[in-house]
Amino acid sequence: MHLKLEQFKWITGNGISINVDPNKNSNIIEDNSSKDIEEYFKSKTRGLKWEFEGNEIEILESNEIIEGLPSPNLKKVIVIYPMDHKNYPAPNNAVIHNSDGSVFKQLSSPELVSDLAKQQHERKPNGPFMVYFENVIWKFTRTGEVIACICIAYNRDWHEDRELNTETGEFGECMSSGRR
């Protein structure tokens, strides 16, 4: 039996803690004070914290902005590290962690499948094509299923949002794409 993580929060180096509820389709942090939210976004050190089997798990590094969300089944955490992170640099700056904090899988950017990405790549076939993971959200499918969706940014101004299977680390269909 695999237990679920609990009490998922966004945290700062100076003690701000933001409760996160990814089930809220619009504002996942709305149940926090505006002062705490403002302080969180001003902080140069941001990370994640949750509880699992009575232990507090924390991913926080000084002067790094580390973001993420739990998987919809609350058994893993998808973490987006800064592009220039020492251990997880772009284009492989996303990691799926197990509930206990251990690394399940470091993600490699998949081949982009959206028409926009293909057009951008054709315009610069031999030029730089910078790709990195930007963020992760929960999306609700037409049938009401909750899925993890990871945003893959490329060529500075563009993105492709892909379904992410957090049990395998495989990428699914393109949910949306466009200019950032």
Side-chain angles (χ1 to χ4, degrees), residues 24-55:
K24 296 198 171 167
N25 205 3
S26 57
N27 185 353
I28 64 175
I29 58 172
E30 70 182 351
D31 295 334
N32 295 275
S33 78
S34 57
K35 181 181 181 287
D36 283 351
I37 293 170
E38 183 180 338
E39 290 299 316
Y40 170 80
F41 283 107
K42 282 182 180 178
S43 179
K44 291 182 180 1
T45 299
R46 291 187 256 173
L48 312 169
K49 180 168 69 172
W50 65 91
E51 290 180 15
F52 179 69
E53 293 186 334
N55 296 312

Short mmCIF file of all heavy atoms in Angstrom, two decimals, residues 24-55:
data_model
loop_
_atom_site.label_atom_id
_atom_site.label_comp_id
_atom_site.label_asym_id
_atom_site.label_seq_id
_atom_site.Cartn_x
_atom_site.Cartn_y
_atom_site.Cartn_z
N LYS A 24 -8.42 23.40 -6.82
CA LYS A 24 -9.12 24.64 -7.18
C LYS A 24 -8.71 25.01 -8.60
O LYS A 24 -7.54 25.26 -8.87
CB LYS A 24 -8.77 25.75 -6.20
CG LYS A 24 -9.28 25.38 -4.82
CD LYS A 24 -9.37 26.56 -3.95
CE LYS A 24 -10.10 26.10 -2.69
NZ LYS A 24 -10.04 27.00 -1.63
N ASN A 25 -9.66 25.02 -9.47
CA ASN A 25 -9.38 25.22 -10.89
C ASN A 25 -8.87 26.62 -11.20
O ASN A 25 -8.17 26.84 -12.16
CB ASN A 25 -10.63 24.90 -11.71
CG ASN A 25 -10.31 24.48 -13.12
OD1 ASN A 25 -9.15 24.37 -13.51
ND2 ASN A 25 -11.34 24.26 -13.89
N SER A 26 -9.19 27.59 -10.37
CA SER A 26 -8.81 28.97 -10.69
C SER A 26 -7.62 29.45 -9.87
O SER A 26 -6.56 29.76 -10.41
CB SER A 26 -10.00 29.91 -10.49
OG SER A 26 -10.48 29.80 -9.17
N ASN A 27 -7.75 29.51 -8.55
CA ASN A 27 -6.68 30.06 -7.72
C ASN A 27 -6.31 29.06 -6.63
O ASN A 27 -6.99 28.99 -5.59
CB ASN A 27 -7.13 31.39 -7.12
CG ASN A 27 -6.04 32.07 -6.34
OD1 ASN A 27 -4.97 31.51 -6.12
ND2 ASN A 27 -6.30 33.29 -5.91
N ILE A 28 -5.23 28.34 -6.83
CA ILE A 28 -4.86 27.25 -5.92
C ILE A 28 -4.32 27.71 -4.58
O ILE A 28 -4.11 26.91 -3.68
CB ILE A 28 -3.86 26.28 -6.59
CG1 ILE A 28 -2.54 26.97 -6.91
CG2 ILE A 28 -4.47 25.67 -7.85
CD1 ILE A 28 -1.47 26.04 -7.47
N ILE A 29 -4.10 29.03 -4.44
CA ILE A 29 -3.56 29.56 -3.16
C ILE A 29 -4.50 30.58 -2.53
O ILE A 29 -4.10 31.33 -1.66
CB ILE A 29 -2.15 30.15 -3.35
CG1 ILE A 29 -2.13 31.26 -4.39
CG2 ILE A 29 -1.15 29.05 -3.69
CD1 ILE A 29 -0.82 32.01 -4.50
N GLU A 30 -5.76 30.59 -2.95
CA GLU A 30 -6.68 31.64 -2.50
C GLU A 30 -6.98 31.63 -1.01
O GLU A 30 -7.40 32.63 -0.46
CB GLU A 30 -7.99 31.59 -3.29
CG GLU A 30 -8.86 30.39 -2.98
CD GLU A 30 -10.11 30.35 -3.84
OE1 GLU A 30 -10.39 31.33 -4.55
OE2 GLU A 30 -10.81 29.34 -3.79
N ASP A 31 -6.74 30.53 -0.33
CA ASP A 31 -7.06 30.44 1.10
C ASP A 31 -5.93 30.93 2.00
O ASP A 31 -5.88 30.59 3.18
CB ASP A 31 -7.44 29.00 1.46
CG ASP A 31 -8.72 28.56 0.78
OD1 ASP A 31 -9.55 29.43 0.46
OD2 ASP A 31 -8.89 27.35 0.55
N ASN A 32 -5.01 31.72 1.46
CA ASN A 32 -3.89 32.27 2.22
C ASN A 32 -4.05 33.78 2.31
O ASN A 32 -4.75 34.39 1.51
CB ASN A 32 -2.57 31.94 1.52
CG ASN A 32 -2.31 30.45 1.50
OD1 ASN A 32 -1.79 29.90 2.45
ND2 ASN A 32 -2.69 29.78 0.42
N SER A 33 -3.38 34.38 3.28
CA SER A 33 -3.47 35.84 3.42
C SER A 33 -2.75 36.51 2.26
O SER A 33 -1.74 36.00 1.76
CB SER A 33 -2.88 36.30 4.75
OG SER A 33 -1.47 36.31 4.68
N SER A 34 -3.25 37.65 1.84
CA SER A 34 -2.62 38.38 0.73
C SER A 34 -1.20 38.80 1.11
O SER A 34 -0.32 38.85 0.26
CB SER A 34 -3.47 39.56 0.30
OG SER A 34 -3.70 40.42 1.38
N LYS A 35 -0.97 39.09 2.38
CA LYS A 35 0.36 39.47 2.85
C LYS A 35 1.35 38.31 2.66
O LYS A 35 2.46 38.49 2.16
CB LYS A 35 0.31 39.90 4.31
CG LYS A 35 1.66 40.33 4.89
CD LYS A 35 1.54 40.71 6.36
CE LYS A 35 2.84 41.16 6.95
NZ LYS A 35 3.79 40.08 7.17
N ASP A 36 0.95 37.10 3.07
CA ASP A 36 1.81 35.93 2.91
C ASP A 36 2.08 35.64 1.43
O ASP A 36 3.20 35.30 1.05
CB ASP A 36 1.20 34.69 3.58
CG ASP A 36 1.36 34.70 5.09
OD1 ASP A 36 2.08 35.57 5.61
OD2 ASP A 36 0.75 33.83 5.74
N ILE A 37 1.06 35.75 0.61
CA ILE A 37 1.21 35.51 -0.83
C ILE A 37 2.20 36.51 -1.43
O ILE A 37 3.10 36.14 -2.18
CB ILE A 37 -0.15 35.55 -1.55
CG1 ILE A 37 -1.01 34.37 -1.09
CG2 ILE A 37 0.03 35.56 -3.06
CD1 ILE A 37 -2.46 34.44 -1.54
N GLU A 38 2.05 37.77 -1.05
CA GLU A 38 2.95 38.81 -1.55
C GLU A 38 4.39 38.54 -1.11
O GLU A 38 5.33 38.63 -1.92
CB GLU A 38 2.49 40.18 -1.03
CG GLU A 38 3.32 41.33 -1.54
CD GLU A 38 2.84 42.67 -1.01
OE1 GLU A 38 1.67 42.80 -0.62
OE2 GLU A 38 3.67 43.60 -1.00
N GLU A 39 4.57 38.18 0.16
CA GLU A 39 5.92 37.89 0.67
C GLU A 39 6.52 36.67 -0.03
O GLU A 39 7.72 36.63 -0.31
CB GLU A 39 5.89 37.67 2.19
CG GLU A 39 5.62 38.93 2.98
CD GLU A 39 6.68 40.00 2.76
OE1 GLU A 39 7.88 39.68 2.77
OE2 GLU A 39 6.29 41.17 2.56
N TYR A 40 5.68 35.66 -0.28
CA TYR A 40 6.15 34.46 -0.97
C TYR A 40 6.72 34.84 -2.33
O TYR A 40 7.84 34.46 -2.68
CB TYR A 40 5.02 33.43 -1.11
CG TYR A 40 5.41 32.29 -2.01
CD1 TYR A 40 6.19 31.24 -1.54
CD2 TYR A 40 5.04 32.28 -3.35
CE1 TYR A 40 6.58 30.21 -2.37
CE2 TYR A 40 5.43 31.24 -4.19
CZ TYR A 40 6.19 30.22 -3.70
OH TYR A 40 6.59 29.20 -4.53
N PHE A 41 5.97 35.59 -3.12
CA PHE A 41 6.40 35.92 -4.47
C PHE A 41 7.57 36.91 -4.51
O PHE A 41 8.29 36.97 -5.50
CB PHE A 41 5.23 36.39 -5.33
CG PHE A 41 4.37 35.24 -5.78
CD1 PHE A 41 3.11 35.04 -5.23
CD2 PHE A 41 4.82 34.34 -6.73
CE1 PHE A 41 2.32 33.96 -5.62
CE2 PHE A 41 4.05 33.26 -7.13
CZ PHE A 41 2.80 33.07 -6.58
N LYS A 42 7.80 37.65 -3.45
CA LYS A 42 8.95 38.56 -3.37
C LYS A 42 10.23 37.80 -3.00
O LYS A 42 11.33 38.29 -3.27
CB LYS A 42 8.72 39.62 -2.29
CG LYS A 42 7.81 40.74 -2.70
CD LYS A 42 7.73 41.73 -1.54
CE LYS A 42 6.86 42.91 -1.82
NZ LYS A 42 6.78 43.79 -0.64
N SER A 43 10.10 36.65 -2.39
CA SER A 43 11.25 35.92 -1.87
C SER A 43 12.15 35.39 -2.99
O SER A 43 11.68 34.91 -4.01
CB SER A 43 10.79 34.76 -1.00
OG SER A 43 11.90 34.05 -0.50
N LYS A 44 13.45 35.44 -2.75
CA LYS A 44 14.44 34.91 -3.68
C LYS A 44 14.76 33.45 -3.38
O LYS A 44 15.51 32.81 -4.12
CB LYS A 44 15.70 35.75 -3.65
CG LYS A 44 15.51 37.14 -4.22
CD LYS A 44 16.81 37.92 -4.21
CE LYS A 44 16.78 39.31 -4.75
NZ LYS A 44 15.60 39.88 -5.24
N THR A 45 14.23 32.94 -2.27
CA THR A 45 14.40 31.53 -1.92
C THR A 45 13.01 30.93 -1.72
O THR A 45 12.32 31.26 -0.77
CB THR A 45 15.23 31.38 -0.62
OG1 THR A 45 16.52 31.95 -0.82
CG2 THR A 45 15.38 29.92 -0.23
N ARG A 46 12.62 30.08 -2.68
CA ARG A 46 11.30 29.44 -2.61
C ARG A 46 11.45 27.94 -2.82
O ARG A 46 12.30 27.50 -3.59
CB ARG A 46 10.37 30.00 -3.68
CG ARG A 46 9.97 31.42 -3.42
CD ARG A 46 8.93 31.86 -4.41
NE ARG A 46 9.55 32.72 -5.41
CZ ARG A 46 8.95 33.15 -6.49
NH1 ARG A 46 7.72 32.81 -6.76
NH2 ARG A 46 9.58 33.93 -7.34
N GLY A 47 10.59 27.20 -2.15
CA GLY A 47 10.64 25.75 -2.28
C GLY A 47 9.31 25.11 -1.94
O GLY A 47 8.26 25.76 -1.92
N LEU A 48 9.39 23.83 -1.60
CA LEU A 48 8.20 23.01 -1.37
C LEU A 48 8.34 22.24 -0.06
O LEU A 48 9.45 21.91 0.35
CB LEU A 48 8.04 22.00 -2.51
CG LEU A 48 8.16 22.54 -3.93
CD1 LEU A 48 8.26 21.41 -4.93
CD2 LEU A 48 6.99 23.44 -4.25
N LYS A 49 7.19 21.94 0.53
CA LYS A 49 7.20 21.15 1.77
C LYS A 49 5.91 20.33 1.81
O LYS A 49 4.86 20.79 1.38
CB LYS A 49 7.28 22.09 2.98
CG LYS A 49 7.30 21.36 4.31
CD LYS A 49 7.67 22.27 5.46
CE LYS A 49 6.62 23.29 5.77
NZ LYS A 49 6.88 24.06 6.99
N TRP A 50 6.01 19.12 2.34
CA TRP A 50 4.84 18.28 2.54
C TRP A 50 5.14 17.26 3.63
O TRP A 50 6.27 17.13 4.09
CB TRP A 50 4.42 17.59 1.24
CG TRP A 50 5.39 16.59 0.68
CD1 TRP A 50 5.45 15.25 0.93
CD2 TRP A 50 6.45 16.85 -0.26
NE1 TRP A 50 6.48 14.67 0.22
CE2 TRP A 50 7.10 15.63 -0.52
CE3 TRP A 50 6.92 18.00 -0.90
CZ2 TRP A 50 8.17 15.51 -1.39
CZ3 TRP A 50 8.00 17.88 -1.77
CH2 TRP A 50 8.61 16.66 -2.01
N GLU A 51 4.11 16.57 4.05
CA GLU A 51 4.26 15.51 5.05
C GLU A 51 3.98 14.17 4.41
O GLU A 51 3.10 14.05 3.54
CB GLU A 51 3.28 15.73 6.21
CG GLU A 51 3.63 16.93 7.05
CD GLU A 51 2.65 17.16 8.20
OE1 GLU A 51 1.87 16.24 8.52
OE2 GLU A 51 2.68 18.26 8.76
N PHE A 52 4.76 13.17 4.85
CA PHE A 52 4.56 11.80 4.37
C PHE A 52 4.93 10.84 5.49
O PHE A 52 6.05 10.90 6.02
CB PHE A 52 5.40 11.53 3.12
CG PHE A 52 5.25 10.13 2.60
CD1 PHE A 52 4.06 9.71 2.03
CD2 PHE A 52 6.29 9.23 2.72
CE1 PHE A 52 3.90 8.42 1.57
CE2 PHE A 52 6.15 7.93 2.25
CZ PHE A 52 4.95 7.52 1.67
N GLU A 53 3.99 10.01 5.87
CA GLU A 53 4.18 9.02 6.94
C GLU A 53 4.77 9.65 8.20
O GLU A 53 5.69 9.12 8.82
CB GLU A 53 5.06 7.86 6.46
CG GLU A 53 4.41 7.02 5.39
CD GLU A 53 5.21 5.78 5.03
OE1 GLU A 53 6.46 5.78 5.19
OE2 GLU A 53 4.59 4.83 4.56
N GLY A 54 4.26 10.84 8.56
CA GLY A 54 4.68 11.51 9.78
C GLY A 54 5.98 12.29 9.66
O GLY A 54 6.42 12.91 10.63
N ASN A 55 6.61 12.27 8.49
CA ASN A 55 7.86 13.00 8.28
C ASN A 55 7.61 14.24 7.42
O ASN A 55 6.80 14.21 6.50
CB ASN A 55 8.90 12.12 7.58
CG ASN A 55 9.31 10.94 8.41
OD1 ASN A 55 9.61 11.08 9.60
ND2 ASN A 55 9.31 9.76 7.82
#
